[in-house]
Amino acid sequence: MLSLVRRGRRMRCLYFTHSLSQTHNSFYCTKFYSSSPFQNPLFKLCSGILRPISRPPIRAFCTTSTEAKADRVAALKQTMEAPDAISYLTQREAAEIDETLMGPLGFSVDQLMELAGLSVATSIAQVYKPSEYGRVLIICGPGNNGGDGLVAARHLYHFGYKPFICYPKRTAKPLYTGLVTQLESLSIPFLSVEDLSLDLSKDYKVIVDAIFGFSFHGTPRPPFDDLLKRLVSLHNSDQIHQRRSVIVSIDIPSGWHVEEGDVHGEGIKPDMLVSLTAPKLCAKKFTGLHHFLGGRFVPPSIAEKYKLHLPPYPETSMCVRIGKPPQIDISALRENYISPEFLEEQVEADPIKQFLKWFDDSLTVGLREPNAMALTTVGKDGKPSSRMVLLKGVDKEGFVWYTNYESRKARELAENSHASLLFYWDGLNRQVRVEGSVKKVSEEESEQYFHSRPRGSQLGAIVSKQSTVVPGRHVLYQEYKELEQKFADGSLIPKPKNWGGYRLIPQLFEFWQGQPSRLHDRLQYSPYEINGQLAWKIERLAP
């Protein structure tokens, strides 16, 4: 059997009484982000044969990394529930932090502009998927915010979006001309103001406001005054028959006062705000659905000096949502799956081989725990129960997993040996259902697998009287520590008599591939006998 086993640039914080063309001299605020969930996975060459995979470490007991992760989750939840606990910067503080970043901390303008644009692009990708919001217009001003927009456009292109750029007042500095050259090499269109429709919603799903930074002050001059009016009109127009474009603003919404916000209530109302380093005071007046913060690179010395309270960033992400998640109409949540067709003439005649083929695909693209499966059992009372377990082996005889023989699922299997498995591979838009009868694997097979596990997992199996009531976690932990001491000499840990494996012997398969407009591919394999040999009939089911 095969084992499955800002922008450190400097935005001169002068209130502008000069012409708009001078905005490119401003200092700038730092912004940052890392990788995107929409980057294409790196594919590895694979043999097409299911290969061993490493087993996850024991999860039943605390480790340093687990505790740290729990602390981050708790802190993040507190931040989202109490956004006022986050620090908001005045214009002076933002400028001083930029001075420090660009001075003793050694950040360069182009380095931080790159990180800022990546922060914006990845924030967009977290909310607005390219399959539904593919056409993006980035409106760039002549200053550093405009540079952020140019960088964001390049990343959005590589994330699968189709960006368009309106950059009417170009800056002649090498940094900016280099960004334009990069975008032109990708054949990203540059549009004049005259090329744009009065109603931007006709052509674009997302509009990125990269016009003014936090140092802008005064009245916008042409052509930006007209562009801002078009953005404002998106919220004022009647969009009954057409969904309007969403607006994403970089650091502050263009035209807002950096500390007082939309003073007259007549400014643009972005749907998303991507704050950088720390949110500016005007962000407290932001009422859109999505507020993100980029800037995980802020060093402790700056955080301590300015008494910054910033949210923790999840996992390796360099961008984090601020405030409560938006209230969503659950009935409106839907995905329009884009997948290759799954046709009868392309599949394996043997469902086990087809399963291994799909499983190998899930390994190749790096999906997390592709061997996780929902096991559904039904006891004599007729009530079904489901839980996630890990597949630990598959061959022509069936699918194997291990558990406690006194658990609820074990009791139900003793009463009714029929069960079902469900694999769901989100990254590939695929599901596999398997139904059949279940029996225990041999004691030798269970023994062999038990001793192949990490010693911590072996001890955990002894401690856990699965599905029974325990007074508290401390009881489990104490028993675990006692066993750890008992077997500290490295001696063999005996397998519990009430622990072992099950094998589901398949009697029905269904392979599901998500497709656009809910016209999913569903191919069912059912067994029949031909000339005394087992064969499988393949039929297409309506989605």
Side-chain angles (χ1 to χ4, degrees):
M1 180 174 63
L2 296 170
S3 291
L4 296 179
V5 195
R6 166 172 96 78
R7 286 161 300 211
R9 43 194 139 176
R10 307 172 61 75
M11 297 190 86
R12 298 198 189 281
C13 284
L14 302 174
Y15 282 91
F16 278 169
T17 56
H18 307 297
S19 70
L20 187 59
S21 63
Q22 293 177 317
T23 57
H24 67 273
N25 292 322
S26 57
F27 280 82
Y28 68 90
C29 246
T30 7
K31 1 185 197 179
F32 183 75
Y33 194 79
S34 80
S35 60
S36 160
F38 293 93
Q39 288 178 307
N40 292 328
L42 297 176
F43 285 78
K44 300 176 288 184
L45 292 175
C46 74
S47 62
I49 300 175
L50 189 63
R51 52 188 178 279
I53 58 177
S54 60
R55 298 181 180 92
I58 183 170
R59 297 187 178 198
F61 301 94
C62 288
T63 64
T64 302
S65 59
T66 303
E67 291 172 348
K69 182 176 180 180
D71 289 343
R72 287 197 301 272
V73 170
L76 184 58
K77 181 179 179 182
Q78 182 179 11
T79 295
M80 295 180 72
E81 292 176 349
D84 287 342
I86 300 173
S87 298
Y88 289 79
L89 298 179
T90 65
Q91 190 175 46
R92 180 185 59 79
E93 290 169 334
E96 289 179 358
I97 290 173
D98 284 341
E99 288 274 11
T100 305
L101 288 168
M102 289 295 294
L105 294 182
F107 285 95
S108 64
V109 174
D110 52 346
Q111 178 190 33
L112 292 173
M113 186 177 286
E114 179 67 28
L115 298 175
L118 180 59
S119 172
V120 173
T122 47
S123 297
I124 291 171
Q126 286 196 33
V127 177
Y128 304 113
K129 297 186 178 181
S131 58
E132 296 183 44
Y133 294 87
R135 293 174 65 90
V136 181
L137 174 65
I138 302 98
I139 304 177
C140 300
N144 293 314
N145 259 46
D148 294 342
L150 296 175
V151 174
R154 171 161 41 79
H155 288 294
L156 288 170
Y157 172 87
H158 290 297
F159 293 170
Y161 296 84
K162 188 174 182 180
F164 298 79
I165 299 170
C166 179
Y167 188 25
K169 297 286 186 180
R170 300 193 181 191
T171 301
K173 292 182 178 180
L175 172 58
Y176 296 84
T177 57
L179 291 173
V180 170
T181 300
Q182 295 166 21
L183 297 170
E184 290 176 338
S185 72
L186 298 174
S187 299
I188 295 176
F190 279 78
L191 308 175
S192 67
V193 176
E194 292 73 26
D195 292 329
L196 301 177
S197 303
L198 291 177
D199 182 1
L200 298 174
S201 290
K202 292 180 179 179
D203 301 310
Y204 310 104
K205 299 293 186 180
V206 178
I207 300 174
V208 178
D209 160 30
I211 302 175
F212 301 144
F214 71 77
S215 60
F216 174 76
H217 181 73
T219 302
R221 299 191 178 191
F224 299 105
D225 54 351
D226 176 64
L227 289 169
L228 287 178
K229 288 177 182 177
R230 297 193 201 187
L231 295 182
V232 171
S233 69
L234 291 177
H235 279 270
N236 296 337
S237 61
D238 182 3
Q239 297 287 337
I240 294 177
H241 302 294
Q242 178 185 344
R243 184 169 63 179
R244 67 168 181 82
S245 303
V246 297
I247 301 173
V248 178
S249 288
I250 298 177
D251 209 21
I252 70 167
S254 291
W256 283 28
H257 189 282
V258 67
E259 295 174 2
E260 298 175 17
D262 184 13
V263 178
H264 302 294
E266 299 175 353
I268 64 174
K269 295 175 176 58
D271 303 89
M272 173 186 281
L273 175 63
V274 184
S275 291
L276 301 157
T277 305
K280 312 308 175 286
L281 274 176
C282 66
K284 288 189 173 184
K285 307 292 180 64
F286 172 69
T287 58
L289 290 176
H290 309 287
H291 189 185
F292 280 81
L293 174 66
R296 194 173 188 168
F297 62 88
V298 175
S301 58
I302 285 185
E304 292 169 6
K305 179 178 179 180
Y306 291 92
K307 295 180 172 55
L308 296 182
H309 298 283
L310 301 176
Y313 290 77
E315 300 295 340
T316 58
S317 174
M318 301 299 294
C319 195
V320 60
R321 181 185 286 276
I322 300 176
K324 294 183 178 180
Q327 295 298 312
I328 299 296
D329 178 4
I330 295 177
S331 67
L333 292 175
R334 58 179 52 85
E335 291 285 339
N336 192 34
Y337 301 107
I338 307 298
S339 311
E341 291 181 334
F342 186 53
L343 304 175
E344 290 84 340
E345 58 268 22
Q346 298 173 345
V347 303
E348 299 287 343
D350 183 340
I352 292 290
K353 290 183 179 179
Q354 182 61 45
F355 175 85
L356 293 176
K357 187 176 180 179
W358 273 19
F359 189 89
D360 207 37
D361 288 345
S362 71
L363 292 175
T364 301
V365 301
L367 298 185
R368 184 171 181 266
E369 290 195 321
N371 59 327
M373 59 186 185
L375 166 66
T376 300
T377 55
V378 180
K380 62 182 180 181
D381 59 3
K383 297 179 180 179
S385 63
S386 300
R387 75 287 291 161
M388 301 301 296
V389 297
L390 295 177
L391 178 68
K392 289 300 177 181
V394 58
D395 60 11
K396 63 181 180 180
E397 295 181 5
F399 296 77
V400 175
W401 69 95
Y402 293 86
T403 189
N404 188 301
Y405 285 153
E406 296 176 355
S407 63
R408 176 179 175 179
K409 55 184 169 294
R411 294 195 302 270
E412 292 177 346
L413 287 170
E415 297 168 355
N416 179 357
S417 63
H418 295 283
S420 68
L421 306 174
L422 173 63
F423 297 86
Y424 175 58
W425 296 311
D426 175 64
L428 295 170
N429 300 330
R430 289 174 176 174
Q431 298 181 56
V432 180
R433 292 176 53 237
V434 189
E435 298 176 7
S437 59
V438 179
K439 65 179 183 180
K440 292 181 179 178
V441 304
S442 67
E443 183 67 13
E444 293 75 18
E445 196 172 339
S446 293
E447 190 82 35
Q448 182 180 9
Y449 173 70
F450 181 82
H451 289 112
S452 73
R453 307 174 84 203
R455 288 178 68 83
S457 297
Q458 296 179 44
L459 295 178
I462 298 173
V463 168
S464 176
K465 310 301 186 289
Q466 203 172 90
S467 301
T468 61
V469 176
V470 293
R473 181 176 179 78
H474 65 281
V475 175
L476 296 173
Y477 187 74
Q478 182 60 38
E479 290 184 22
Y480 180 84
K481 296 302 290 184
E482 291 173 359
L483 281 174
E484 198 174 39
Q485 295 268 339
K486 179 178 179 180
F487 294 101
D489 58 358
S491 59
L492 184 71
I493 301 172
K495 181 187 80 65
K497 294 184 183 296
N498 62 347
W499 189 96
Y502 285 103
R503 177 179 282 108
L504 183 141
I505 303 164
Q507 295 165 353
L508 186 74
F509 285 82
E510 182 189 319
F511 293 85
W512 182 96
Q513 176 77 70
Q515 296 294 351
S517 302
R518 296 296 184 263
L519 298 178
H520 310 308
D521 290 319
R522 295 176 62 191
L523 297 186
Q524 176 180 277
Y525 288 72
S526 53
Y528 71 99
E529 189 175 303
I530 179 171
N531 299 326
Q533 298 292 322
L534 174 66
W536 293 89
K537 178 170 62 175
I538 302 174
E539 297 174 300
R540 177 171 291 271
L541 303 180

